[in-house]
Every structure is written in C-alpha cells, then in structure tokens.
Amino acid sequence: MPTSQPAWVALTRGHRQHWSQRQQQQQAQQQQQPSQQPNQPHSGGATVHDTVDVLAPPGSHPQLCEWRRLWELASAAYFNRQHRVLWWRILHGCVMCGAFSAYIGRATVEQACCPYACCSSPAQPQTISHMFLECPMAATVISWLCRLWQAMTGHLPDASVATILAASTSEGQCASDALLQTWHRLRLAVLHSIWTAARIAASSTHASSQASQLSSQSHLASRLALKTVTSMIHHDWVKCNDDVRQLAGVCSSWLRGRDPSMTLEAFRNLWCHHDTLASIHTAHTGTGDKLELVVNLSDMVPVQLF
C-alpha cells in the first residue's frame, strides 16, 4: 500500500462485527467509564482505524455533523425534484460533465473539454467546478444570483465552490430559516439552468463565434433561471389560496411527503423579503377585498440580468 494513503484505505481481512454488537460494546465501555466528559472526543475505533466512528455521539465529530446537516438539507421536501437530483449528483461528484464522461469511458479526451469556445484555454476540461463556476457562461449567471441576493439582503455571497456547490453559508448571509430556504432554492434553480444550457450546448453541432456563443448560452441559462424562480413563486402562491390536491391534472401521490398548503405568513417570509422578488397587495373589488400577487422579479429588476 502506498505510504501516501491512510491506513483505513486497506481492506480489513478480519470478520466485521454487526453494528448492533459494536453498539452494545460501546455502551458497555461508556458504563465502565462514567467519569469521562460528554464533550470529550471519542477515541474508540477512530484512533485505531484512522477514521470516524459512526456510532460515536454527534457532538464528538463536528465534521460528521456538518455532513449530516448537508445531506438532510439535500433531501428537503421543499426542493424541486430535478433540482434535488442535480445537487445529489454534485455532492457525489457524478454529474455527467465532460471530465466525468471521459473518466467512466463514455467520452474521449477531446470530448471531455468544455464545449464553449469562449473559454480561455481551448482544451479546458469540463469539470464540475468549471461547468458551474469557472466557465464564462456560468460565471455570468452566478454573478446575477449573487447580485440578486445582495439586492434582497444587502449581503454579497462569495461565488466559490463552498458557497454555490456545497451550500456553505457565511455569517450574516441568511438572517432567518425562511431566507436560508429562499437562498438554497434560488441557488439550485440557477445551477439547474446552467446544467440545462450546458447539455444543450454539448448536443449542438452548430459552429458559431466565441462572442455569439457566449451571449446565446448565457441568455439561455439566465432566462431559464428567471423562468424557474418565477414559476416557484407562482406555485407557492397557489398553495396559499387553493388546495392543490383538488386541482385538475394533479395526482395526490405527487404530494406524498410534502405539505400541499402554505400560510400567507410563510409565503411573505419566503418570497416577499423587502418586496424584492414579489409583493402582496390588497385589491378592492365589488365583492370585497382580495389579495393579489405582484412578481417584481424581471430581467431588469432588481438587478440587470445581462
């Protein structure tokens, strides 16, 4: 085994105990050592095998808790299914980009390069970080997302892998849980639009100049992101006013595990922060007052899309 690899990479030839037996042994050790502090790092198993003991208390391994929080967030029911699947693939590193296709033998080295001619290097491998962050087409849309969030909250997110792909939020970026949900839904909507535009570019054989290709693909990804966010706002507004389970063309099994309703307060906290994305107005009609939704998001408001 190479010396650069940790000890836990080597396969263990001995018989591995069942998790219930290891849990019983751990409980017995804890009963024999009552003087051990609860916040003291657990050393059983982690010291011998140079890895993390999954049976240890969550507070003993901060990195394990962070990953657990991340995977719980990735499985949140309020995400669009296509967005959740894409993010699941990003976290696993199995997005079908050019580099990954070449790695699994489905593309040649030439086909693994970025399909956009506007990239600085003509042989730039299309990795996950390049597709969603470094490519000029993606950087334009990510910049719009960060400027949009700055217009909403006054905080400019960092366009980095940790913030955009790994869902790491800095202090002061999200003041409430509702804003945190809004940020992640906007982030995944933009990532999915970039992914869709990249798939269209990869399947297109039409040759064009660098400037026209960058402009067309950036416009496509930006328009898709704008359309997706507007659609999410309208869908949540319908949940505030109607029972979506009784609407035509809606199967009740689609809502399994999801809340088919939303309160007006929850909608305001989610989409009406400082009336940047949307606002609710009271319209006076002959039959009484009626609440109307006004979507303020456009290609020019609150920030310019292109």
Side-chain angles (χ1 to χ4, degrees):
M1 184 182 64
T3 57
S4 59
Q5 295 182 355
W8 55 267
V9 174
L11 297 178
T12 304
R13 296 185 177 181
H15 178 69
R16 184 176 178 84
Q17 294 181 340
H18 193 263
W19 67 270
S20 59
Q21 297 178 357
R22 291 187 286 120
Q23 188 175 24
Q24 292 176 0
Q25 293 178 1
Q26 181 182 358
Q27 293 177 355
Q29 292 177 0
Q30 291 178 355
Q31 292 178 359
Q32 294 176 1
Q33 300 176 356
S35 60
Q36 184 179 3
Q37 298 296 331
N39 56 354
Q40 184 177 356
H42 184 75
S43 58
T47 304
V48 178
H49 302 290
D50 193 21
T51 185
V52 175
D53 187 3
V54 296
L55 295 178
S60 302
H61 306 290
Q63 186 177 6
L64 180 61
C65 296
E66 181 65 21
W67 277 106
R68 181 176 300 173
R69 180 200 63 81
L70 185 61
W71 286 113
E72 289 177 354
L73 179 63
S75 61
Y78 52 77
F79 286 140
N80 182 288
R81 185 181 182 276
Q82 294 180 343
H83 300 172
R84 186 168 63 247
V85 170
L86 175 62
W87 193 26
W88 185 91
R89 289 183 175 273
I90 291 175
L91 295 177
H92 278 275
C94 59
V95 178
M96 291 300 294
C97 57
F100 182 75
S101 299
Y103 174 74
I104 62 177
R106 293 189 179 183
T108 62
V109 178
E110 292 77 12
Q111 295 174 341
C113 297
C114 182
Y116 300 108
C118 57
C119 286
S120 58
S121 175
Q124 172 65 45
Q126 191 188 40
T127 60
I128 295 179
S129 59
H130 177 81
M131 175 189 292
F132 292 107
L133 294 174
E134 300 170 1
C135 183
M137 184 278 299
T140 303
V141 191
I142 295 297
S143 175
W144 172 77
L145 170 65
C146 296
R147 289 183 290 112
L148 175 64
W149 190 255
Q150 184 182 24
M152 289 180 56
T153 64
H155 183 276
L156 181 63
D158 183 21
S160 61
V161 174
T163 303
I164 304 300
L165 300 183
S168 177
T169 54
S170 60
E171 185 178 358
Q173 180 175 346
C174 301
S176 62
D177 294 339
L179 278 180
L180 182 64
Q181 178 180 341
T182 306
W183 162 252
H184 289 309
R185 294 182 69 176
L186 291 175
R187 180 180 59 84
L188 292 184
V190 169
L191 290 178
H192 190 267
S193 66
I194 295 174
W195 162 253
T196 304
R199 291 296 88 199
I200 295 176
S203 60
S204 176
T205 58
H206 177 67
S208 58
S209 63
Q210 295 185 10
S212 61
Q213 187 186 40
L214 173 61
S215 177
S216 61
Q217 296 300 327
S218 298
H219 277 65
L220 175 60
S222 302
R223 290 293 183 183
L224 287 174
L226 183 63
K227 180 180 179 181
T228 303
V229 174
T230 305
S231 177
M232 290 191 301
I233 296 175
H234 282 289
H235 287 173
D236 286 348
W237 179 249
V238 172
K239 293 168 63 176
C240 291
N241 297 273
D242 301 312
D243 189 352
V244 295
R245 295 170 296 182
Q246 299 180 2
L247 297 179
V250 177
C251 182
S252 59
S253 60
W254 294 349
L255 302 172
R256 185 175 302 164
R258 300 184 179 183
D259 190 0
S261 62
M262 178 178 289
T263 62
L264 185 61
E265 180 182 1
F267 182 87
R268 290 181 184 272
N269 296 332
L270 191 62
W271 298 114
C272 300
H273 187 71
H274 293 167
D275 293 342
T276 305
L277 300 180
S279 57
I280 301 175
H281 300 281
T282 303
H284 303 283
T285 61
T287 57
D289 296 340
K290 181 180 179 181
L291 296 179
E292 291 185 352
L293 173 67
V294 178
V295 178
N296 303 322
L297 181 63
S298 65
D299 55 354
M300 297 298 296
V301 178
V303 293
Q304 188 173 357
L305 186 58
F306 307 112

